[in-house]
Amino acid sequence: MIYGGDSSEWGISVLSGKFVASCLDPKRYAVTELLLRGGQWSVCDPAVKDVAVPVKPFIPSELKNFDVAMIMIHGTPGENGILQAELEKHQVPFTTCSSRVAALTFDKHACKKGLQGLGIPLAPELFLHKGEAFNPEEVVEKLGLPVFVKPNDGGSSFGVTKVKRQEDLAAAVANAFSESDDVLIESYIPGRELTEGVFNRNGEIIPLPVTEIISHNEYFDYEAKYLGKSDEVCPAQITPEQAHVVREQTRRIYQHFGCRGLIRCDYIMTESGKVYFLEINPVPGMTKMSLVPAQIRQAGLTVEDVLDCLINEALDTSSFRA
């Protein structure tokens, strides 16, 4: 079990890793908890359930002694392919997408570019590199207002701003650049926020129930995600036809990119029923109160059921490839 990481999400990653480790049957699995932070590895105390307490240093070359690596890092280096590339180098099976797919899906701009041509609705956008000049007037002319300004490679709402006034754009862009070297500015799409997890079971893509997220704040920000400032309705109160659209888009995205393991796709559904893709979470939150565990329970499964599938898939050498 590898958790931690170097993004602002590292604390949530620890909670996800601790919870997932607690769901694995100790009679079947010998779990070692590893904290990766700032390039430093350490073995953590499994008896501590909510924080990472290092016990001793760990040498990365020893990864080859493990049967499978379960990655629970949100953000870099666990969602963007860096850790996956290291594991591929040591030929250690792991429970997420390959390094190539992880890098592509974690990059919001590249991911959306990769989906063009599939007929999946996408919000209009502008893409900025750090240091690149931009004209707020041109942004508003192209995208209108409000817009969302977000880091191109972040997943927990750090650095995200909903901008309603042109004069606030510069500050919002600076805020996003504090979390990433690239920034995405997207048109605001009014509608209901939906999300769905999906995983692979014996070669079959298994959809989980769709969840609707109703934020108490203006949008699904960090407080709404992790501090209880939202209602999460699972299954979402939408029509069977609307649920089918979400499931079909998630299945097509999973298949199109060649994903492995468990992912979660986020959407906005407009009043007319059009479902806009927002982003992929290659390593979705897996704390006790996270969206995907709730979907798993609603599906009549246990978290351990799904983890068994992820481990079996990782150990299947036919699916372990870069």
Side-chain angles (χ1 to χ4, degrees):
M1 181 70 60
I2 307 175
Y3 50 63
D6 300 324
S7 76
S8 299
E9 307 163 68
W10 82 275
I12 302 299
S13 168
V14 172
L15 296 179
S16 289
K18 290 284 186 181
F19 174 68
V20 168
S22 74
C23 292
L24 291 167
D25 185 352
K27 294 179 182 178
R28 300 176 57 205
Y29 300 107
V31 180
T32 299
E33 297 182 22
L34 300 177
L35 173 69
L36 173 57
R37 182 115 172 97
Q40 301 298 311
W41 294 77
S42 55
V43 180
C44 287
D45 186 349
V48 180
K49 300 302 180 186
D50 57 350
V51 294
V53 178
V55 175
K56 60 180 180 180
F58 177 78
I59 302 171
S61 62
E62 295 303 307
L63 287 168
K64 64 181 182 294
N65 295 330
F66 292 95
D67 295 315
V68 62
M70 183 159 283
I71 300 174
M72 274 293 122
I73 292 179
H74 312 315
T76 187
E79 280 191 297
N80 56 5
I82 294 174
L83 176 56
Q84 286 86 347
E86 181 72 12
L87 292 167
E88 287 164 356
K89 182 177 73 174
H90 290 290
Q91 297 188 317
V92 180
F94 52 87
T95 58
T96 70
C97 300
S98 69
S99 60
R100 177 186 61 82
V101 175
L104 176 60
T105 56
F106 189 62
D107 184 312
K108 293 181 177 66
H109 177 66
C111 182
K112 289 175 68 176
K113 288 293 184 185
L115 292 176
Q116 288 180 348
L118 260 65
I120 294 174
L122 304 168
E125 67 173 53
L126 283 172
F127 181 68
L128 299 175
H129 293 290
K130 183 168 283 189
E132 181 181 357
F134 78 101
N135 186 324
E137 290 184 4
E138 292 178 358
V139 171
V140 174
E141 182 179 346
K142 179 176 180 179
L143 303 180
L145 288 172
V147 293
F148 275 103
V149 180
K150 59 181 72 173
N152 188 50
D153 55 1
S156 277
S157 296
F158 290 101
V160 177
T161 308
K162 182 179 180 181
V163 177
K164 300 178 181 179
R165 304 185 308 165
Q166 179 177 304
E167 55 265 39
D168 295 331
L169 268 170
V173 168
N175 183 40
F177 274 131
S178 71
E179 294 286 336
S180 173
D181 287 338
D182 301 307
V183 164
L184 205 59
I185 306 176
E186 290 182 323
S187 293
Y188 168 68
I189 307 295
R192 300 165 68 180
E193 184 153 1
L194 305 174
T195 187
E196 183 198 24
V198 64
F199 67 99
N200 186 310
R201 181 172 63 194
N202 299 324
E204 181 183 2
I205 299 173
I206 304 298
L208 294 171
V210 179
T211 299
E212 179 177 6
I213 302 163
I214 305 171
S215 178
H216 299 175
N217 296 341
E218 193 164 7
Y219 64 96
F220 196 43
D221 59 8
Y222 183 85
E223 285 188 339
K225 285 184 179 180
Y226 299 117
L227 302 180
K229 296 294 185 70
S230 67
D231 297 318
E232 296 161 2
V233 182
C234 184
Q237 300 304 295
I238 56 179
T239 68
E241 293 77 16
Q242 291 167 337
H244 174 75
V245 171
V246 174
R247 285 196 302 269
E248 181 62 14
Q249 288 193 177
T250 304
R251 183 195 65 78
R252 290 174 65 202
I253 290 168
Y254 192 97
Q255 206 165 37
H256 176 72
F257 285 125
C259 294
R260 293 206 310 261
L262 172 68
I263 70 166
R264 200 189 80 228
C265 290
D266 298 341
Y267 302 95
I268 290 289
M269 185 178 70
T270 66
E271 189 175 348
S272 67
K274 192 173 184 178
V275 179
Y276 282 81
F277 169 80
L278 294 180
E279 63 182 65
I280 295 177
N281 295 269
V283 184
M286 288 292 288
T287 70
K288 186 176 182 179
M289 302 306 294
S290 292
L291 292 159
V292 169
Q295 293 176 356
I296 290 170
R297 293 189 291 269
Q298 182 63 39
L301 303 171
T302 67
V303 172
E304 187 179 359
D305 291 334
V306 176
L307 297 178
D308 284 344
C309 292
L310 304 187
I311 292 168
N312 289 336
E313 181 188 24
L315 291 173
D316 180 358
T317 55
S318 67
S319 70
F320 177 60
R321 60 187 184 279

